[in-house]
Amino acid sequence: MRSRCGLSRRARVDRKSKETQLSARIDLDGRGRSEVATGLPFLDHMLEQVARYGGFDLRLRGAGDVHVDPHHLVEDAGIVVGQALSEALGDREGIVRFASAYAPLDESLARVVIDLGRRPFLSYNVALKGRIGTLESEIVEEFWRALSIHLGATIHVDLIRGRNRHHIAEATFKALGLALRAAMAAGGAPGVPSSKGVLG
Ligand SMILES: [Mn+2]
């Protein structure tokens, strides 16, 4: 179920499958507050960074068959967060649309370039191998892929340098938050931000 609440930039998405149950609430005009509990603490930690630096309120609760593999939950979290952001953005009129952001975390430096023009595409250039907390780091890419599809965004993620896996992942999610904040902001030309007059 998806719903956009009036003209406010808020949305709610509830998603239930045989593998996961997730419920997301987003307020784009919030203050970066988050309450994230998916059963995967490292994923929660990453999504809290996105909300904080993205400047929007995020509530995401749920659970999944992580005893099988965290893969389903990570991917489905990308789906619901992407859908909720997309719903909250409405017709995307007046938004900046394109943005890029760099974020360092100690020795790690990541860059995210985003286009909110309803063209789903992910270019993920982050060499992450091994475990971060309880999560196999190669699964992290599935979040980004699902997000790009369900948000309707082209996203290029590049790790410029980094060694520590936790730092590398966190730098990419911080950069995502910063890029989203800039791209979702009001301040684009009036109307739908496309020379075609329609997005997609
Ligand atoms: Mn951390």
Side-chain angles (χ1 to χ4, degrees):
M1 184 191 76
R2 298 199 243 166
S3 61
R4 184 165 180 249
C5 316
L7 289 173
S8 67
R9 301 206 305 167
R10 288 196 295 251
R12 166 184 171 164
V13 172
D14 296 301
R15 186 177 193 277
K16 202 169 197 165
S17 75
K18 284 183 180 165
E19 298 166 347
T20 66
Q21 308 85 45
L22 286 162
S23 173
R25 311 272 182 283
I26 275 177
D27 182 355
L28 295 187
D29 299 310
R31 286 183 292 169
R33 292 168 297 201
S34 60
E35 197 185 318
V36 183
T38 64
L40 284 173
F42 188 73
L43 179 66
D44 299 348
H45 181 40
M46 293 301 101
L47 296 180
E48 286 164 2
Q49 308 300 319
V50 179
R52 175 172 305 149
Y53 296 102
F56 59 87
D57 291 346
L58 169 67
R59 184 165 181 265
L60 178 67
R61 299 187 151 273
D65 57 351
V66 291
H67 56 284
V68 177
D69 189 332
H71 186 286
H72 300 142
L73 187 62
V74 172
E75 182 177 1
D76 292 359
I79 292 173
V80 297
V81 170
Q83 287 177 342
L85 283 169
S86 182
E87 290 294 320
L89 282 167
D91 59 10
R92 308 191 183 193
E93 204 173 305
I95 64 167
V96 171
R97 178 178 166 180
F98 295 94
S100 61
Y102 289 81
L105 180 50
D106 294 350
E107 89 296 341
S108 295
L109 175 63
R111 179 183 61 215
V112 169
V113 182
I114 196 162
D115 168 16
L116 292 177
R118 296 195 196 275
R119 298 174 66 90
F121 188 90
L122 176 68
S123 176
Y124 186 79
N125 306 295
V126 181
L128 261 180
K129 288 208 171 6
R131 279 186 177 277
I132 315 175
T134 58
L135 200 61
E136 279 296 338
S137 54
E138 68 193 29
I139 298 171
V140 174
E141 183 173 351
E142 301 309 316
F143 171 86
W144 290 82
R145 190 175 320 287
L147 179 74
S148 69
I149 293 167
H150 294 273
L151 170 55
T154 295
I155 306 176
H156 288 251
V157 193
D158 290 282
L159 176 69
I160 293 164
R161 63 182 72 93
R163 283 191 298 276
N164 178 290
R165 289 192 287 260
H166 186 122
H167 290 171
I168 289 170
E170 191 164 338
T172 62
F173 280 90
K174 283 188 157 110
L176 173 63
L178 291 167
L180 274 174
R181 181 182 202 133
M184 297 190 304
V192 173
S194 168
S195 52
K196 289 188 284 188
V198 50
L199 289 176

